[in-house]
Amino acid sequence: MEAALVERLEAAVARLEAAVASGASLASAAPRDLDVPAAADPAIVAYEEFIAEAVGRLNTAAEKIGGKVLDATKVLAEAFAVSKDLLVQAKQLQKPASMADAQGFLKPLGDCIAKATAMTEGRRPDYFNHLKSVADSLPALAWVAFLGKDCGMSFPTAHVEESWQMAEFYNNKVLVEYRNKDPDHVEWAKALKDLYMPGLRDFVKKHYALGPVWGPSGGAAASQPKAAAPTPKAPATKAPPPPAPPSAPLFTTEKSPKSSQPKQGLSAVFQEISSKPVTAGLRKVTDDMKTKNRTDRSGVVASTAAAPATPEKTSRAGSFSFKSGPPKLELQMGRKWVVENQVGKKTLAIDDCDSRQSIYVYGCKDSVLQVNGKVNNITVDKCTKFGIVFKDVVAAFEVVNCNGVEVQCQGTAPTISIDNTSGCQLYLSKDSLGASITSAKSSEINVMVPSGATDGDWVEHALPQQYIHSFKDGQFITSPVSHSGA
């Protein structure tokens, strides 16, 4: 056993020495399957055991669900494997001087995060909350990029906690939706949470509280090699090309140092503009060219002239482009009602529905939908000036990426979620006053509840969108801003 380990160590050292002799950086030379440091470092061994147990539990639950949930879980497992490889490689490399120098080192992790994010883009896919939970949780693995307290990011333990908070919103949606419907989805969501909190957080706190362990200061920098003057003689073996620069930086960094190369693209244009006098190339305006001296111009707009079309003022939540496709109102596979691209339809209705079916409304504008029956859940996505009236939902009612919607619940709804929406008027019946309302990145949310009087009037309550955060007794206390003057 010891002899085999020595042979593998000697082979790894030989590969590294050959890479150094050929001029390649250690970042590109270090093999991803180099497991000799893992066998010698107890922290790496502990990380492998943690991944095998926690990610294995998550993957077992995902295999029972299958489909896109399993695909997203495989991307997550790949990202955790990459993070382990980065810890192994870090011990062979010199600590980067800045985040910019570490971009090449972190590129494999950035590719995994981009792959998971791409699965949530476009038209809202099935199991969106599962996919979003995975995509928003993976930035927690970027703790391996911590270079010190002045690097611009939180300490590793705090970074894992903050990143999980971004994903927990969607993970909770999975728990609520499948709580009484499918235990496999519930197990998946619980396994995902345990993977990060307390799993990854406690591991990082115990083994890497101050970040990864880097190699000696004399080693090669963990970054892409900078351009240098050619050596007098190239070795017989051609050096492998340096790794390609990352398509998009994983972190925002400080301004990069000025390059001696000539500027290209827009940089060249701005450089040329700034190097010339401000008024260079401008023609002199004579008196006959001034508007006040021209007889064919007047300061009064003619009444017969058509006023230019003014673009409709939209908020950040309603800034998505409205693309009208073929209108739909149909039941798919006997389980899902789809209402799409309905414009100016005030009499839309779904009558023949049951508690096993879901309703998905997408891309509707200036329309009203009435649901006459009990359904499992309802989702309203990317709708503008849309109204919906429903009776009962078993799991949840969701409004996502909308602008100017009115919602009336005539029966019961255990959970109501409003996400990235501007302008939502919500009417609750007496039976739905116990609903849990969750809002995120939304504004102008007003909830109307029936008054206790017999006249049936509604009482309006505005949900706060501004908060005050104060640090007391070692933690932040958050309270909504009161506009009532009380």
Side-chain angles (χ1 to χ4, degrees), residues 87-102:
L87 291 177
V88 174
Q89 294 181 27
K91 297 194 68 175
Q92 312 298 321
L93 306 174
Q94 179 184 344
K95 182 178 180 180
S98 64
M99 287 294 187
D101 294 335

Side-chain angles (χ1 to χ4, degrees), residues 164-217:
W164 172 247
Q165 290 174 2
M166 298 169 57
E168 190 171 19
F169 175 76
Y170 294 96
N171 196 62
N172 286 341
K173 285 187 174 183
V174 177
L175 290 172
V176 172
E177 181 179 357
Y178 293 95
R179 179 172 50 195
N180 299 320
K181 188 168 63 173
D182 193 330
D184 292 337
H185 291 266
V186 174
E187 169 61 20
W188 184 90
K190 290 182 177 179
L192 181 64
K193 181 177 181 179
D194 293 343
L195 173 63
Y196 291 96
M197 301 287 290
L200 182 62
R201 179 198 62 189
D202 290 352
F203 171 81
V204 172
K205 183 177 181 180
K206 180 178 180 181
H207 296 281
Y208 295 99
L210 299 179
V213 179
W214 298 93
S217 58

Side-chain angles (χ1 to χ4, degrees), residues 24-240:
S25 69
L26 285 178
S28 60
R32 287 192 56 187
D33 60 348
L34 181 61
D35 58 352
V36 174
D41 190 343
I44 299 296
V45 174
Y47 196 37
E48 289 180 335
E49 294 175 351
F50 162 68
I51 292 176
E53 179 181 355
V55 178
R57 173 192 171 191
L58 183 67
N59 190 67
T60 300
E63 288 177 346
K64 296 179 181 179
I65 301 172
K68 294 183 178 180
V69 177
L70 179 58
D71 295 339
T73 304
K74 290 181 179 178
V75 175
L76 180 143
E78 179 185 354
F80 269 83
V82 167
S83 67
K84 190 269 292 186
D85 292 343
L86 294 181
L87 291 177
V88 174
Q89 294 181 27
K91 297 194 68 175
Q92 312 298 321
L93 306 174
Q94 179 184 344
K95 182 178 180 180
S98 64
M99 287 294 187
D101 294 335
Q103 289 300 327
F105 174 75
L106 297 171
K107 185 178 184 300
L109 181 58
D111 291 343
C112 291
I113 297 176
K115 189 186 303 183
T117 303
M119 299 179 70
T120 67
E121 295 176 347
R123 179 181 169 183
R124 191 167 185 176
D126 295 334
Y127 304 118
F128 173 80
N129 293 328
H130 299 72
L131 305 182
K132 193 68 174 173
S133 299
V134 171
D136 286 1
S137 68
L138 286 184
L141 296 177
W143 69 267
V144 300
F146 183 77
L147 302 177
K149 62 180 181 180
D150 298 326
C151 69
M153 63 180 292
S154 303
F155 278 81
T157 304
H159 176 79
V160 173
E161 294 176 347
E162 294 165 2
S163 299
W164 172 247
Q165 290 174 2
M166 298 169 57
E168 190 171 19
F169 175 76
Y170 294 96
N171 196 62
N172 286 341
K173 285 187 174 183
V174 177
L175 290 172
V176 172
E177 181 179 357
Y178 293 95
R179 179 172 50 195
N180 299 320
K181 188 168 63 173
D182 193 330
D184 292 337
H185 291 266
V186 174
E187 169 61 20
W188 184 90
K190 290 182 177 179
L192 181 64
K193 181 177 181 179
D194 293 343
L195 173 63
Y196 291 96
M197 301 287 290
L200 182 62
R201 179 198 62 189
D202 290 352
F203 171 81
V204 172
K205 183 177 181 180
K206 180 178 180 181
H207 296 281
Y208 295 99
L210 299 179
V213 179
W214 298 93
S217 58
S223 64
Q224 300 182 50
K226 299 181 179 179
T231 54
K233 278 190 178 182
T237 304
K238 187 176 180 180

Side-chain angles (χ1 to χ4, degrees), residues 364-407:
C364 296
K365 184 176 183 181
D366 195 23
S367 301
V368 178
L369 172 65
Q370 184 163 359
V371 182
N372 298 314
K374 186 176 184 179
V375 295
N376 185 270
N377 66 285
I378 301 175
T379 301
V380 180
D381 186 8
K382 288 189 178 180
C383 294
T384 303
K385 296 181 180 178
F386 181 78
I388 181 171
V389 181
F390 65 94
K391 290 187 177 180
D392 301 295
V393 293
V394 177
F397 176 88
E398 298 177 88
V399 179
V400 186
N401 303 322
C402 292
N403 184 19
V405 295
E406 292 189 10
V407 180

